[in-house]
Amino acid sequence: KAGVTQTPRYLIKTRGQQVTLSCSPISGHRSVSWYQQTPGQGLQFLFEYFSETQRNKGNFPGRFSGRQFSNSRSEMNVSTLELGDSALYLCASSLEINYEQYFGPGTRLTVT
Amino acid sequence: AQSVTQLDSQVPVFEEAPVELRCNYSSSVSVYLFWYVQYPNQGLQLLLKYLSGSTLVKGINGFEAEFNKSQTSFHLRKPSVHISDTAEYFCAVSAMDSSYKLIFGSGTRLLVRP
């Protein structure tokens, strides 16, 4: 089976712009979670979607949003980018039965 | 709320020596416990997990961990490390009622020297 794929892998944006990141889960996985990884704050949970519904949400401002499509693919959007949004954004998918999350390689976002 | 503490930011060790990476957690509810490894420029890979049952769990690449409820610890061990084990290791917990929300520790960089 193909693993979790994330596109694009690298992205450079300017402050004030918005960005959309995409995640394709492993086939058959219906849960998709997003995490932000930075040197200062480490790995932080953003949100989790299951069957197109947001099931859990972390402590991030409303500029961070996401959605999930009927084929389980997910996107996250960050509006009005700030320098502090520079990070590695990781997506993970999961099968409901074993609580294991499989991570993609991440999207490296740089805000200048 | 849950929190995870990995006291050692870096652990240097010689090849073929044993290693223990420490993890302590705090939670007011029952949790599931995980260890993940991250190699440079890659995502995270699950090493092992504890959901219930035997407190000693075995994972991939020869790693094992022991869940100690009274000490709220979940230390990772390997009896003999290889150069290829050099990576960042993350301990994580999730509450049983929000199982897909992982709370991570700050990570421990394992540096294996020849």
Side-chain angles (χ1 to χ4, degrees):
Chain A
K1 269 187 183 179
V4 177
T5 57
Q6 293 186 244
T7 55
R9 291 292 312 277
Y10 301 91
L11 206 48
I12 301 175
K13 289 287 188 179
T14 303
R15 260 184 313 175
Q17 288 186 314
Q18 74 164 15
V19 67
T20 299
L21 312 181
S22 180
C23 171
S24 293
I26 293 171
S27 177
H29 288 195
R30 293 198 295 166
S31 169
V32 174
S33 301
W34 288 89
Y35 296 83
Q36 181 196 64
Q37 185 176 25
T38 60
Q41 300 298 316
L43 280 154
Q44 294 185 285
F45 172 81
L46 280 156
F47 28 65
E48 184 238 344
Y49 287 87
F50 178 80
S51 291
E52 302 179 66
T53 301
Q54 188 181 85
R55 226 172 23 177
N56 279 298
K57 189 177 188 308
N59 296 324
F60 278 82
R63 300 185 297 107
F64 291 82
S65 63
R67 59 177 176 169
Q68 187 180 34
F69 301 96
S70 58
N71 62 358
S72 295
R73 191 177 70 85
S74 177
E75 288 181 347
M76 68 162 281
N77 184 77
V78 188
S79 63
T80 319
L81 283 166
E82 300 177 359
L83 294 178
D85 297 333
S86 294
L88 181 67
Y89 290 88
L90 293 163
C91 164
S93 73
S94 180
L95 212 49
E96 281 288 279
I97 57 173
N98 60 10
Y99 307 106
E100 294 180 7
Q101 294 191 37
Y102 296 85
F103 284 79
T107 294
R108 172 78 61 189
L109 171 65
T110 302
V111 182
T112 61
Chain B
Q2 294 77 46
S3 66
V4 178
T5 302
Q6 292 181 249
L7 287 170
D8 305 306
S9 59
Q10 184 165 297
V11 173
V13 63
F14 288 107
E15 194 173 17
E16 297 183 9
V19 71
E20 180 179 81
L21 305 184
R22 297 180 294 168
C23 172
N24 288 87
Y25 70 92
S26 171
S27 177
S28 56
V29 300
S30 297
V31 295
Y32 299 131
L33 295 149
F34 306 83
W35 274 99
Y36 282 85
V37 60
Q38 186 176 33
Y39 299 101
N41 300 315
Q42 293 186 29
L44 283 79
Q45 181 183 12
L46 179 66
L47 281 175
L48 48 78
K49 66 183 180 189
Y50 174 79
L51 303 182
S52 65
S54 172
T55 57
L56 182 64
V57 292
K58 294 188 184 298
I60 62 171
N61 301 340
F63 284 95
E64 64 180 33
E66 185 153 22
F67 170 56
N68 187 318
K69 189 173 182 179
S70 62
Q71 297 187 5
T72 59
S73 67
F74 190 54
H75 301 332
L76 182 70
R77 292 191 284 262
K78 187 170 182 178
S80 175
V81 294
H82 304 287
I83 297 287
S84 59
D85 292 324
T86 294
E88 190 90 19
Y89 291 79
F90 293 94
C91 180
V93 302
S94 66
M96 288 186 180
D97 60 355
S98 56
S99 312
Y100 299 95
K101 178 181 178 179
L102 289 172
I103 306 301
F104 285 91
S106 55
T108 296
R109 176 156 178 75
L110 176 63
L111 181 58
V112 182
R113 297 166 172 165

